[in-house]
């Protein structure tokens, strides 16, 4: 197994551990590997507000507006609480926005102004992700909250809050999330489609697991998260390639992320993954331990891995790449700031 990690830090990046006598302070990291940062555009530009806008004021109207046959490209969800009992997919090119107005304190978002919140809340145990984003999708002004469940309890919930993922070999998906709050209260796990229990998941898929359909080889996924609050017991961001030659590019700008940043260049499921990459550009973010969340690592960065499902048996991964460029970030409250392997 051969994989490559590249970590780039500019200026001083303080990393604070737990306890008075156990600070872990990272004053400055040398440039480990010089790379070209002339990457392609991280995410499609935000779409214009021209065209018809559909106003939604009930959960039933929200579900109907997101049906493929509705062909609605701009959905505005009125402030209020929307109970959701099934996975939802935001179609290609759509804008889904609430009326939430994000408050900012010391340059970072802290939550919505009272009385402005638009909350889409999971209220039933189902398997699947609350929101799956299509190509060119923009989310903004929304609070998205998963249903908290305990292992063995009913109703059992298995899934993530938001997923930006491949749909076929060679697919291209680009999505933007701005001025949102994402709440993921469950413990992380592994499901039939991949990781579960995370706030934002960006991935290339292997849906057949060594059968048909085949892995989504050569898919390109771009995601941008900005000015948002994430509260996660698992990972605030989980990025992984389950398909060879996959390319994930993620931009994180000005967010409050209570949870782990997890990234893996490639992981077999069980097909071998090679030539895949994850590129994260992180700027002006706070990575903080959520009360009751996992406190071992602030960032968990892995070049490659075999399957985490014991029954699959897997050849592993090789020649995959993870790049992280961090500028003016803070990592606070975890026992270890960064684990890179």
């Amino acid at each position: 197994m051969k994989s490559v990690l590249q970590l780039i830090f500019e200026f001083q990046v303080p990393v604070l551990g737990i306890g008075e006598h156990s600070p872990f302070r990272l004053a400055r990291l040398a440039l480990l590997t010089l790379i070209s940062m002339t990457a392609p555009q991280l995410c499609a530009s935000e779409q214009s507000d021209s065209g018809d806008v559909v106003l939604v004021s009930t959960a039933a109207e929200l579900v109907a507006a997101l049906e493929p046959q509705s062909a609605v490209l701009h959905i505005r969800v009125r402030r209020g609480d929307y109970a959701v009992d099934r996975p939802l997919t935001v179609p290609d090119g759509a804008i889904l926005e609430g009326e939430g107005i994000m408050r900012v304190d010391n340059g970072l978002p802290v939550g919505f102004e009272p009385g402005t919140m638009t909350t889409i809340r999971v209220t039933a145990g189902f398997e699947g992700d609350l929101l799956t984003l299509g190509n060119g999708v923009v989310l903004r002004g929304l609070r998205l909250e998963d249903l908290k469940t305990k292992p063995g309890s009913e109703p059992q919930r298995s899934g993530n809050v938001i997923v930006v993922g491949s749909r076929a070999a060679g697919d291209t998906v680009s999505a933007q999330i701005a001025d949102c709050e994402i709440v993921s209260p469950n413990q992380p796990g592994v499901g039939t489609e991949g990781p579960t229990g995370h706030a934002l998941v960006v991935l290339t898929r292997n849906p057949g697991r060594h059968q048909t359909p085949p892995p989504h080889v050569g898919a390109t996924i771009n995601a941008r998260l900005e000015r948002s609050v994430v509260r996660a017991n698992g990972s605030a961001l989980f990025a992984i390639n389950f398909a060879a030659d996959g390319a994930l590019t993620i931009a994180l700008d000005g967010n409050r992320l209570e949870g782990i940043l997890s990234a893996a260049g490639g992981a077999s499921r069980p097909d071998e993954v090679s030539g895949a990459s994850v590129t994260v550009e992180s700027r002006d973010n706070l990575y903080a331990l959520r009360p009751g969340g996992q406190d071992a690592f602030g960032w968990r960065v892995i070049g490659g891995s075999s399957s985490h499902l014991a029954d699959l048996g897997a050849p592993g991964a090789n020649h995959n790449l993870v790049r992280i460029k961090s500028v003016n970030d803070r990592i606070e409250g975890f026992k270890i700031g960064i684990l890179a392997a």
Side-chain angles (χ1 to χ4, degrees):
M1 180 185 296
K2 180 179 179 181
S3 299
V4 179
L5 291 168
Q6 294 178 338
L7 296 164
I8 299 176
F9 295 86
E10 293 185 3
F11 311 112
Q12 292 191 348
V13 186
V15 184
L16 307 182
I18 292 177
E20 179 182 357
H21 301 294
S22 60
F24 175 58
R25 298 185 180 275
L26 176 61
R28 188 184 300 271
L29 268 179
L31 183 65
L32 298 184
T33 306
L34 183 62
I35 64 171
S36 170
M37 297 312 298
T38 56
Q41 185 178 1
L42 293 177
C43 186
S45 59
E46 185 170 317
Q47 304 175 30
S48 69
D49 290 341
S50 59
D52 296 334
V53 178
V54 171
L55 299 179
V56 166
S57 57
T58 68
E61 292 175 352
L62 173 63
V63 171
L66 293 174
E67 291 291 343
Q69 62 269 21
S70 71
V72 176
L73 291 183
H74 194 160
I75 304 165
R76 184 169 297 155
V77 188
R78 298 284 198 185
R79 62 190 63 179
D81 199 272
Y82 295 79
V84 172
D85 61 359
R86 69 199 71 183
L88 300 175
T89 298
V90 184
D92 288 1
I95 299 173
L96 179 64
E97 65 175 349
E99 294 185 337
I101 299 173
M102 185 63 69
R103 294 182 293 122
V104 176
D105 183 29
N106 290 326
L108 286 173
V110 295
F112 290 115
E113 292 284 354
T116 70
M117 196 177 302
T118 299
T119 300
I120 300 176
R121 188 191 313 273
V122 176
T123 58
F126 60 81
E127 184 173 351
D129 307 307
L130 172 56
L131 286 183
T132 299
L133 308 187
N135 186 34
V137 164
V138 174
L139 293 185
R140 61 186 179 223
L142 293 166
R143 187 176 192 270
L144 305 162
E145 182 177 348
D146 212 337
L147 174 67
K148 183 176 183 179
T149 59
K150 296 181 179 180
S153 66
E154 296 295 338
Q156 190 61 45
R157 173 77 180 100
S158 177
N160 305 289
V161 183
I162 300 175
V163 169
V164 186
S166 61
R167 302 162 295 185
D171 195 15
T172 298
V173 180
S174 181
Q176 177 180 335
I177 304 163
D179 302 301
C180 288
E181 184 175 355
I182 307 168
V183 181
S184 179
N186 294 313
Q187 295 300 316
V190 181
T192 56
E193 293 296 322
T196 64
H198 304 293
L200 172 61
V201 174
V202 182
L203 80 167
T204 57
R205 303 179 191 268
N206 183 353
R209 294 165 64 177
H210 213 46
Q211 305 294 326
T212 55
H216 297 169
V217 174
T220 300
I221 312 297
N222 297 326
R224 182 175 186 86
L225 178 70
E226 57 187 2
R227 301 184 308 275
S228 295
V229 178
V230 180
R231 309 184 197 279
N233 275 344
S235 296
L237 168 68
F238 194 105
I240 193 167
N241 283 294
F242 290 130
D245 299 319
L248 311 180
T249 304
I250 301 140
L252 305 169
D253 193 353
N255 302 290
R256 179 182 298 271
L257 303 167
E258 297 179 4
I260 302 168
L261 184 155
S262 298
S268 55
R269 195 175 167 84
D271 303 85
E272 182 178 297
V273 178
S274 61
S277 67
V278 176
T279 300
V280 178
E281 293 205 11
S282 177
R283 183 180 296 270
D284 298 321
N285 299 289
L286 169 63
Y287 297 86
L289 176 65
R290 182 186 183 187
Q294 296 187 86
D295 65 352
F297 310 111
W299 293 2
R300 184 173 50 209
V301 186
I302 300 174
S305 172
S306 57
S307 174
H308 292 182
L309 297 178
D311 60 328
L312 286 183
N318 70 85
H319 291 87
N320 300 294
L321 174 68
V322 178
R323 300 182 183 95
I324 297 182
K325 181 179 181 180
S326 172
V327 180
N328 292 338
D329 288 321
R330 288 153 51 202
I331 302 175
E332 297 181 356
F334 299 93
K335 291 179 179 177
I336 296 175
I338 299 171
L339 167 70

mmCIF file of all heavy atoms in Angstrom, residues 88-90 128-134 139 159-166 173 175 177 195 198-203 205 221 223 238:
data_model
loop_
_atom_site.group_PDB
_atom_site.id
_atom_site.type_symbol
_atom_site.label_atom_id
_atom_site.label_comp_id
_atom_site.label_asym_id
_atom_site.label_seq_id
_atom_site.Cartn_x
_atom_site.Cartn_y
_atom_site.Cartn_z
ATOM 1 N N LEU A 88 -34.195 12.891 0.893
ATOM 2 C CA LEU A 88 -34.543 13.872 -0.125
ATOM 3 C C LEU A 88 -33.337 14.115 -1.024
ATOM 4 O O LEU A 88 -32.201 14.114 -0.567
ATOM 5 C CB LEU A 88 -34.967 15.194 0.517
ATOM 6 C CG LEU A 88 -36.178 15.150 1.458
ATOM 7 C CD1 LEU A 88 -36.385 16.509 2.102
ATOM 8 C CD2 LEU A 88 -37.431 14.708 0.705
ATOM 9 N N THR A 89 -33.608 14.349 -2.306
ATOM 10 C CA THR A 89 -32.563 14.662 -3.279
ATOM 11 C C THR A 89 -32.847 16.024 -3.887
ATOM 12 O O THR A 89 -33.962 16.275 -4.370
ATOM 13 C CB THR A 89 -32.503 13.599 -4.391
ATOM 14 O OG1 THR A 89 -32.170 12.333 -3.823
ATOM 15 C CG2 THR A 89 -31.451 13.965 -5.426
ATOM 16 N N VAL A 90 -31.851 16.896 -3.858
ATOM 17 C CA VAL A 90 -31.983 18.212 -4.487
ATOM 18 C C VAL A 90 -31.484 18.068 -5.920
ATOM 19 O O VAL A 90 -30.318 17.733 -6.144
ATOM 20 C CB VAL A 90 -31.181 19.276 -3.736
ATOM 21 C CG1 VAL A 90 -31.419 20.653 -4.344
ATOM 22 C CG2 VAL A 90 -31.550 19.278 -2.243
ATOM 23 N N GLY A 128 -30.774 6.162 4.934
ATOM 24 C CA GLY A 128 -30.494 7.067 3.829
ATOM 25 C C GLY A 128 -30.138 8.440 4.353
ATOM 26 O O GLY A 128 -30.253 8.733 5.545
ATOM 27 N N ASP A 129 -29.717 9.291 3.459
ATOM 28 C CA ASP A 129 -29.225 10.618 3.824
ATOM 29 C C ASP A 129 -30.346 11.647 3.736
ATOM 30 O O ASP A 129 -31.192 11.574 2.838
ATOM 31 C CB ASP A 129 -28.068 11.003 2.903
ATOM 32 C CG ASP A 129 -26.995 9.927 2.890
ATOM 33 O OD1 ASP A 129 -26.538 9.539 3.987
ATOM 34 O OD2 ASP A 129 -26.632 9.448 1.798
ATOM 35 N N LEU A 130 -30.336 12.602 4.643
ATOM 36 C CA LEU A 130 -31.398 13.614 4.639
ATOM 37 C C LEU A 130 -31.419 14.357 3.313
ATOM 38 O O LEU A 130 -32.457 14.438 2.650
ATOM 39 C CB LEU A 130 -31.202 14.589 5.805
ATOM 40 C CG LEU A 130 -32.121 15.817 5.807
ATOM 41 C CD1 LEU A 130 -33.584 15.429 5.764
ATOM 42 C CD2 LEU A 130 -31.816 16.709 7.003
ATOM 43 N N LEU A 131 -30.271 14.909 2.895
ATOM 44 C CA LEU A 131 -30.199 15.629 1.629
ATOM 45 C C LEU A 131 -29.039 15.100 0.797
ATOM 46 O O LEU A 131 -27.889 15.090 1.257
ATOM 47 C CB LEU A 131 -30.001 17.130 1.851
ATOM 48 C CG LEU A 131 -31.179 17.969 2.347
ATOM 49 C CD1 LEU A 131 -30.784 19.434 2.421
ATOM 50 C CD2 LEU A 131 -32.410 17.801 1.478
ATOM 51 N N THR A 132 -29.327 14.680 -0.423
ATOM 52 C CA THR A 132 -28.304 14.345 -1.410
ATOM 53 C C THR A 132 -28.327 15.444 -2.466
ATOM 54 O O THR A 132 -29.380 15.730 -3.042
ATOM 55 C CB THR A 132 -28.573 12.981 -2.060
ATOM 56 O OG1 THR A 132 -28.559 11.971 -1.048
ATOM 57 C CG2 THR A 132 -27.511 12.660 -3.101
ATOM 58 N N LEU A 133 -27.175 16.055 -2.725
ATOM 59 C CA LEU A 133 -27.120 17.226 -3.597
ATOM 60 C C LEU A 133 -26.687 16.838 -4.999
ATOM 61 O O LEU A 133 -25.697 16.133 -5.184
ATOM 62 C CB LEU A 133 -26.154 18.274 -3.036
ATOM 63 C CG LEU A 133 -26.371 18.680 -1.577
ATOM 64 C CD1 LEU A 133 -25.458 19.852 -1.231
ATOM 65 C CD2 LEU A 133 -27.821 19.020 -1.289
ATOM 66 N N GLY A 134 -27.423 17.331 -5.999
ATOM 67 C CA GLY A 134 -27.063 17.125 -7.388
ATOM 68 C C GLY A 134 -26.051 18.147 -7.862
ATOM 69 O O GLY A 134 -25.592 19.018 -7.101
ATOM 70 N N LEU A 139 -27.254 25.399 -1.496
ATOM 71 C CA LEU A 139 -28.045 25.442 -0.263
ATOM 72 C C LEU A 139 -27.666 26.691 0.506
ATOM 73 O O LEU A 139 -26.485 27.009 0.631
ATOM 74 C CB LEU A 139 -27.754 24.231 0.630
ATOM 75 C CG LEU A 139 -28.139 22.835 0.199
ATOM 76 C CD1 LEU A 139 -27.839 21.865 1.334
ATOM 77 C CD2 LEU A 139 -29.583 22.742 -0.220
ATOM 78 N N GLY A 159 -27.780 7.104 8.499
ATOM 79 C CA GLY A 159 -27.521 7.969 7.358
ATOM 80 C C GLY A 159 -26.746 9.196 7.783
ATOM 81 O O GLY A 159 -26.304 9.321 8.922
ATOM 82 N N ASN A 160 -26.563 10.114 6.853
ATOM 83 C CA ASN A 160 -25.864 11.366 7.086
ATOM 84 C C ASN A 160 -26.814 12.527 6.851
ATOM 85 O O ASN A 160 -27.921 12.346 6.346
ATOM 86 C CB ASN A 160 -24.660 11.459 6.147
ATOM 87 C CG ASN A 160 -23.744 10.255 6.275
ATOM 88 O OD1 ASN A 160 -23.052 10.081 7.269
ATOM 89 N ND2 ASN A 160 -23.754 9.385 5.253
ATOM 90 N N VAL A 161 -26.371 13.733 7.184
ATOM 91 C CA VAL A 161 -27.243 14.893 6.961
ATOM 92 C C VAL A 161 -27.169 15.348 5.506
ATOM 93 O O VAL A 161 -28.190 15.447 4.828
ATOM 94 C CB VAL A 161 -26.877 16.037 7.921
ATOM 95 C CG1 VAL A 161 -27.841 17.216 7.720
ATOM 96 C CG2 VAL A 161 -26.929 15.560 9.374
ATOM 97 N N ILE A 162 -25.955 15.618 4.995
ATOM 98 C CA ILE A 162 -25.793 16.068 3.611
ATOM 99 C C ILE A 162 -24.730 15.211 2.936
ATOM 100 O O ILE A 162 -23.676 14.954 3.518
ATOM 101 C CB ILE A 162 -25.369 17.548 3.537
ATOM 102 C CG1 ILE A 162 -26.406 18.454 4.200
ATOM 103 C CG2 ILE A 162 -25.156 17.979 2.080
ATOM 104 C CD1 ILE A 162 -25.984 19.915 4.252
ATOM 105 N N VAL A 163 -25.011 14.781 1.713
ATOM 106 C CA VAL A 163 -24.045 14.018 0.928
ATOM 107 C C VAL A 163 -23.885 14.666 -0.443
ATOM 108 O O VAL A 163 -24.873 15.003 -1.108
ATOM 109 C CB VAL A 163 -24.479 12.548 0.759
ATOM 110 C CG1 VAL A 163 -23.606 11.842 -0.273
ATOM 111 C CG2 VAL A 163 -24.378 11.819 2.090
ATOM 112 N N VAL A 164 -22.632 14.876 -0.842
ATOM 113 C CA VAL A 164 -22.290 15.271 -2.206
ATOM 114 C C VAL A 164 -21.472 14.115 -2.763
ATOM 115 O O VAL A 164 -20.329 13.917 -2.359
ATOM 116 C CB VAL A 164 -21.487 16.580 -2.247
ATOM 117 C CG1 VAL A 164 -21.274 17.024 -3.696
ATOM 118 C CG2 VAL A 164 -22.192 17.674 -1.449
ATOM 119 N N GLY A 165 -22.066 13.320 -3.633
ATOM 120 C CA GLY A 165 -21.413 12.096 -4.064
ATOM 121 C C GLY A 165 -21.638 11.785 -5.526
ATOM 122 O O GLY A 165 -22.513 12.354 -6.191
ATOM 123 N N SER A 166 -20.826 10.843 -6.016
ATOM 124 C CA SER A 166 -20.917 10.435 -7.423
ATOM 125 C C SER A 166 -22.161 9.591 -7.664
ATOM 126 O O SER A 166 -22.687 8.944 -6.760
ATOM 127 C CB SER A 166 -19.667 9.649 -7.812
ATOM 128 O OG SER A 166 -19.554 8.472 -7.019
ATOM 129 N N VAL A 173 -19.952 16.283 -10.074
ATOM 130 C CA VAL A 173 -20.925 16.913 -9.183
ATOM 131 C C VAL A 173 -20.232 18.056 -8.452
ATOM 132 O O VAL A 173 -19.143 17.875 -7.906
ATOM 133 C CB VAL A 173 -21.502 15.915 -8.158
ATOM 134 C CG1 VAL A 173 -22.503 16.614 -7.245
ATOM 135 C CG2 VAL A 173 -22.169 14.737 -8.855
ATOM 136 N N ALA A 175 -21.256 21.327 -5.710
ATOM 137 C CA ALA A 175 -22.329 21.877 -4.887
ATOM 138 C C ALA A 175 -21.765 22.882 -3.894
ATOM 139 O O ALA A 175 -20.603 22.792 -3.482
ATOM 140 C CB ALA A 175 -23.064 20.767 -4.147
ATOM 141 N N ILE A 177 -22.678 25.111 -0.206
ATOM 142 C CA ILE A 177 -23.490 25.248 1.002
ATOM 143 C C ILE A 177 -23.024 26.521 1.709
ATOM 144 O O ILE A 177 -21.842 26.662 2.028
ATOM 145 C CB ILE A 177 -23.327 24.039 1.926
ATOM 146 C CG1 ILE A 177 -23.670 22.738 1.187
ATOM 147 C CG2 ILE A 177 -24.189 24.185 3.178
ATOM 148 C CD1 ILE A 177 -23.159 21.491 1.875
ATOM 149 N N PRO A 195 -20.115 5.502 4.832
ATOM 150 C CA PRO A 195 -20.123 6.039 6.193
ATOM 151 C C PRO A 195 -21.492 6.574 6.582
ATOM 152 O O PRO A 195 -22.266 7.047 5.747
ATOM 153 C CB PRO A 195 -19.089 7.166 6.129
ATOM 154 C CG PRO A 195 -19.064 7.569 4.688
ATOM 155 C CD PRO A 195 -19.282 6.300 3.922
ATOM 156 N N HIS A 198 -22.584 11.260 9.971
ATOM 157 C CA HIS A 198 -21.740 12.440 9.774
ATOM 158 C C HIS A 198 -22.581 13.614 9.259
ATOM 159 O O HIS A 198 -23.677 13.433 8.728
ATOM 160 C CB HIS A 198 -20.613 12.130 8.806
ATOM 161 C CG HIS A 198 -19.779 10.953 9.227
ATOM 162 N ND1 HIS A 198 -18.985 10.979 10.355
ATOM 163 C CD2 HIS A 198 -19.644 9.716 8.687
ATOM 164 C CE1 HIS A 198 -18.381 9.817 10.485
ATOM 165 N NE2 HIS A 198 -18.760 9.027 9.491
ATOM 166 N N ALA A 199 -22.014 14.816 9.376
ATOM 167 C CA ALA A 199 -22.748 16.015 8.966
ATOM 168 C C ALA A 199 -22.686 16.212 7.455
ATOM 169 O O ALA A 199 -23.706 16.293 6.782
ATOM 170 C CB ALA A 199 -22.192 17.234 9.689
ATOM 171 N N LEU A 200 -21.472 16.314 6.893
ATOM 172 C CA LEU A 200 -21.279 16.509 5.459
ATOM 173 C C LEU A 200 -20.345 15.426 4.958
ATOM 174 O O LEU A 200 -19.213 15.309 5.440
ATOM 175 C CB LEU A 200 -20.695 17.893 5.173
ATOM 176 C CG LEU A 200 -20.255 18.163 3.721
ATOM 177 C CD1 LEU A 200 -21.424 18.060 2.751
ATOM 178 C CD2 LEU A 200 -19.584 19.525 3.608
ATOM 179 N N VAL A 201 -20.807 14.632 3.989
ATOM 180 C CA VAL A 201 -20.009 13.564 3.398
ATOM 181 C C VAL A 201 -19.790 13.874 1.929
ATOM 182 O O VAL A 201 -20.747 14.169 1.199
ATOM 183 C CB VAL A 201 -20.694 12.190 3.562
ATOM 184 C CG1 VAL A 201 -19.912 11.105 2.818
ATOM 185 C CG2 VAL A 201 -20.811 11.829 5.038
ATOM 186 N N VAL A 202 -18.535 13.819 1.493
ATOM 187 C CA VAL A 202 -18.173 14.024 0.092
ATOM 188 C C VAL A 202 -17.434 12.763 -0.344
ATOM 189 O O VAL A 202 -16.430 12.387 0.260
ATOM 190 C CB VAL A 202 -17.282 15.269 -0.089
ATOM 191 C CG1 VAL A 202 -16.964 15.492 -1.566
ATOM 192 C CG2 VAL A 202 -17.957 16.504 0.510
ATOM 193 N N LEU A 203 -17.911 12.087 -1.403
ATOM 194 C CA LEU A 203 -17.327 10.790 -1.724
ATOM 195 C C LEU A 203 -17.583 10.375 -3.159
ATOM 196 O O LEU A 203 -18.505 10.848 -3.824
ATOM 197 C CB LEU A 203 -17.875 9.701 -0.803
ATOM 198 C CG LEU A 203 -19.254 9.089 -1.087
ATOM 199 C CD1 LEU A 203 -19.444 7.826 -0.238
ATOM 200 C CD2 LEU A 203 -20.391 10.053 -0.835
ATOM 201 N N ARG A 205 -18.380 6.695 -5.046
ATOM 202 C CA ARG A 205 -19.048 5.512 -4.531
ATOM 203 C C ARG A 205 -18.581 4.222 -5.218
ATOM 204 O O ARG A 205 -18.094 4.235 -6.348
ATOM 205 C CB ARG A 205 -20.568 5.623 -4.708
ATOM 206 C CG ARG A 205 -21.206 6.846 -4.068
ATOM 207 C CD ARG A 205 -22.692 6.829 -4.338
ATOM 208 N NE ARG A 205 -23.354 8.077 -4.001
ATOM 209 C CZ ARG A 205 -23.907 8.352 -2.830
ATOM 210 N NH1 ARG A 205 -23.850 7.454 -1.857
ATOM 211 N NH2 ARG A 205 -24.504 9.498 -2.604
ATOM 212 N N ILE A 221 -15.740 15.283 -7.798
ATOM 213 C CA ILE A 221 -16.714 15.891 -6.888
ATOM 214 C C ILE A 221 -16.103 17.147 -6.286
ATOM 215 O O ILE A 221 -14.997 17.114 -5.735
ATOM 216 C CB ILE A 221 -17.116 14.920 -5.759
ATOM 217 C CG1 ILE A 221 -17.460 13.528 -6.312
ATOM 218 C CG2 ILE A 221 -18.276 15.497 -4.968
ATOM 219 C CD1 ILE A 221 -18.646 13.492 -7.224
ATOM 220 N N ALA A 223 -17.035 20.400 -3.607
ATOM 221 C CA ALA A 223 -17.972 20.897 -2.605
ATOM 222 C C ALA A 223 -17.388 22.121 -1.925
ATOM 223 O O ALA A 223 -16.178 22.179 -1.671
ATOM 224 C CB ALA A 223 -18.286 19.814 -1.576
ATOM 225 N N PHE A 238 -16.571 14.407 6.210
ATOM 226 C CA PHE A 238 -16.008 13.087 5.943
ATOM 227 C C PHE A 238 -15.826 12.990 4.434
ATOM 228 O O PHE A 238 -16.802 13.008 3.686
ATOM 229 C CB PHE A 238 -16.947 11.993 6.444
ATOM 230 C CG PHE A 238 -16.315 10.627 6.511
ATOM 231 C CD1 PHE A 238 -15.951 10.082 7.723
ATOM 232 C CD2 PHE A 238 -16.077 9.887 5.365
ATOM 233 C CE1 PHE A 238 -15.366 8.822 7.811
ATOM 234 C CE2 PHE A 238 -15.501 8.633 5.426
ATOM 235 C CZ PHE A 238 -15.142 8.090 6.651
#
